[in-house]
């Protein structure tokens, strides 16, 4: 492969990788924010898109040095671009799958936290209704923040 074909392949491949990475970043951020608005969608999407860029640019560099049997330089570039498009498709699928897993995990955590809080409130209400409710120490008017031992030692001075 001559140098102009080599440069053309690298430029076209890099542009394809960068465009696909930006698509993953922008749509992935929106995808994660729709599921859980409180989740750190920005940083997680940046992480996934940076890994996508590094991985696919590395594969692009490896493909550029592999000898592909072709008759003319244009056919050589087209074959290499075909390979990089297949790799981009696989890498895109992996990136979207990881964003989907992150979204599912965030939704599950939000659901379980809400369910846990609802059960705690229901339990507390039931205990109040039965008259067996024991308040938290911070809810007690006698709570001063001191330990029980410190309060007892302060109240009773031992004779010496």
């Amino acid at each position: 492969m001559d140098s102009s074909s080599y440069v053309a392949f690298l430029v076209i491949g890099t542009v394809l990788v960068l465009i696909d990475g930006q698509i993953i970043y922008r749509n992935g951020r929106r995808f994660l924010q729709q599921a859980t608005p409180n989740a750190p969608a920005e940083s997680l999407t940046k992480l996934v898109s940076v890994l996508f860029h590094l991985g696919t640019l590395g594969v692009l560099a490896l493909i550029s040095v592999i000898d592909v049997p072709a008759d003319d330089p244009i056919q050589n570039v087209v074959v290499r671009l075909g390979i990089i498009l297949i790799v981009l498709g696989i890498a895109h699928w992996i990136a979207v799958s990881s964003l989907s897993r992150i979204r599912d995990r965030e939704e599950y955590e939000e659901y379980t936290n809400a369910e846990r809080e609802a059960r705690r409130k229901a339990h507390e209400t039931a205990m109040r209704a039965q008259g067996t409710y024991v308040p938290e120490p911070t809810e007690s008017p006698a709570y001063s923040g001191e330990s029980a031992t410190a309060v007892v030692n302060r109240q009773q001075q031992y004779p010496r």
Side-chain angles (χ1 to χ4, degrees):
M1 181 156 77
D2 62 344
S3 62
S4 62
S5 299
Y6 186 73
V7 170
F9 168 73
L10 286 178
V11 168
I12 293 170
T14 303
V15 168
L16 288 173
V17 169
L18 293 176
I19 289 172
D20 197 23
Q22 285 301 307
I23 290 170
I24 289 172
Y25 175 71
R26 290 181 181 157
N27 292 333
R29 187 178 61 202
R30 254 186 260 133
F31 180 71
L32 290 179
Q33 285 174 344
Q34 285 174 353
T36 54
N38 300 334
E42 182 84 20
S43 62
L44 291 173
T45 310
K46 275 184 184 177
L47 176 69
V48 170
S49 64
V50 165
L51 290 173
F52 171 82
H53 283 105
L54 290 175
T56 52
L57 287 173
V59 170
L60 177 70
L62 290 175
I63 290 173
S64 71
V65 297
I66 294 174
D67 189 31
V68 177
D71 295 335
D72 59 357
I74 294 175
Q75 187 179 14
N76 195 348
V77 170
V78 170
V79 169
R80 288 175 193 252
L81 284 176
I83 293 170
I84 197 64
L85 286 174
I86 291 171
V87 170
L88 270 176
I90 293 168
H92 187 93
W93 176 75
I94 290 170
V96 170
S97 298
S98 64
L99 287 171
S100 180
R101 266 194 243 147
I102 291 169
R103 179 181 173 160
D104 290 346
R105 187 188 69 222
E106 292 294 330
E107 285 178 340
Y108 177 75
E109 286 177 6
E110 188 175 302
Y111 173 75
T112 55
N113 289 342
E115 186 176 329
R116 188 177 300 124
E117 183 64 22
R119 286 184 180 186
R120 187 192 64 76
K121 286 182 180 179
H123 177 71
E124 186 177 297
T125 304
M127 297 303 278
R128 284 183 195 261
Q130 292 176 355
T132 57
Y133 175 72
V134 178
E136 294 290 324
T138 56
E139 296 175 10
S140 173
Y143 180 70
S144 65
E146 288 183 288
S147 68
T149 306
V151 171
V152 169
N153 288 341
R154 185 173 34 91
Q155 291 173 352
Q156 299 174 354
Q157 295 295 326
Y158 293 108
R160 292 180 191 231

